[in-house]
Amino acid sequence: MRTPASISKHPIHPMLIVFPIGLWIFSLACDLIRLAGGSSDAWTTVAFYSMVGGLIGALCAAVPGFIDLLYYKGGAPPVKKIALTHMAINLTAVVLYAINIWLRASGPGGMGTGLSVPVLLSIIGVALIFVSGWLGGQMVHVYGVGVEGRE
């Protein structure tokens, strides 16, 4: 599939998604280390800034992803539905992370020692991006979306 959101025939969206995925998973890992007894508030700080970087990365990846969605014309009938579901799940994760960042930025300095709402939002967010990533993989590996010569 040729799309305006490509560089040298390579779609940009898959190049960019690794950043929010990696940063959000790392953010959750930092939260879990802190909950497991990490002795420094640095884990909370790193989790926060990783989350912010992931949100910025997700918004940057969303632009070429949306262009790909608008441009896509062919393929099997379920592909458009999968793509719309993929987008909806990603947007839900972005909203959850925006709320999470707001809660962390406006709340008290520490998140305490127990499982908090921000950590629960991170767990839900990571679960959502796993599902969304699986759907993205379905589009590429099963239906050939974005693979030169497959559509």
Side-chain angles (χ1 to χ4, degrees):
M1 172 179 98
R2 301 287 309 256
T3 173
S6 353
I7 298 173
S8 297
K9 298 182 182 179
H10 295 280
I12 297 170
H13 179 69
M15 293 181 215
L16 296 179
I17 61 163
V18 296
F19 298 106
I21 291 170
L23 287 167
W24 284 341
I25 291 171
F26 182 66
S27 175
L28 176 59
C30 292
D31 282 341
L32 295 177
I33 290 169
R34 177 72 169 125
L35 285 175
S39 59
S40 172
D41 279 337
W43 290 112
T44 304
T45 303
V46 172
F48 175 78
Y49 286 109
S50 296
M51 191 176 298
V52 170
L55 182 68
I56 293 166
L59 294 174
C60 291
V63 173
F66 188 64
I67 292 169
D68 290 347
L69 176 65
L70 291 177
Y71 187 79
Y72 185 73
K73 303 285 187 241
V79 173
K80 197 71 155 192
K81 182 179 178 188
I82 293 170
L84 290 170
T85 304
H86 174 74
M87 180 183 71
I89 293 170
N90 285 334
L91 290 174
T92 302
V94 165
V95 168
L96 287 179
Y97 276 106
I99 292 167
N100 198 339
I101 290 166
W102 177 77
L103 286 173
R104 290 171 189 246
S106 64
M111 291 192 320
T113 55
L115 196 59
S116 63
V117 171
V119 175
L120 287 173
L121 288 175
S122 291
I123 292 168
I124 294 166
V126 167
L128 286 173
I129 63 171
F130 279 165
V131 172
S132 178
W134 182 81
L135 291 172
Q138 282 287 108
M139 288 187 289
V140 172
H141 299 291
V142 174
Y143 296 105
V145 174
V147 177
E148 190 77 19
R150 284 255 337 245
E151 289 115 42

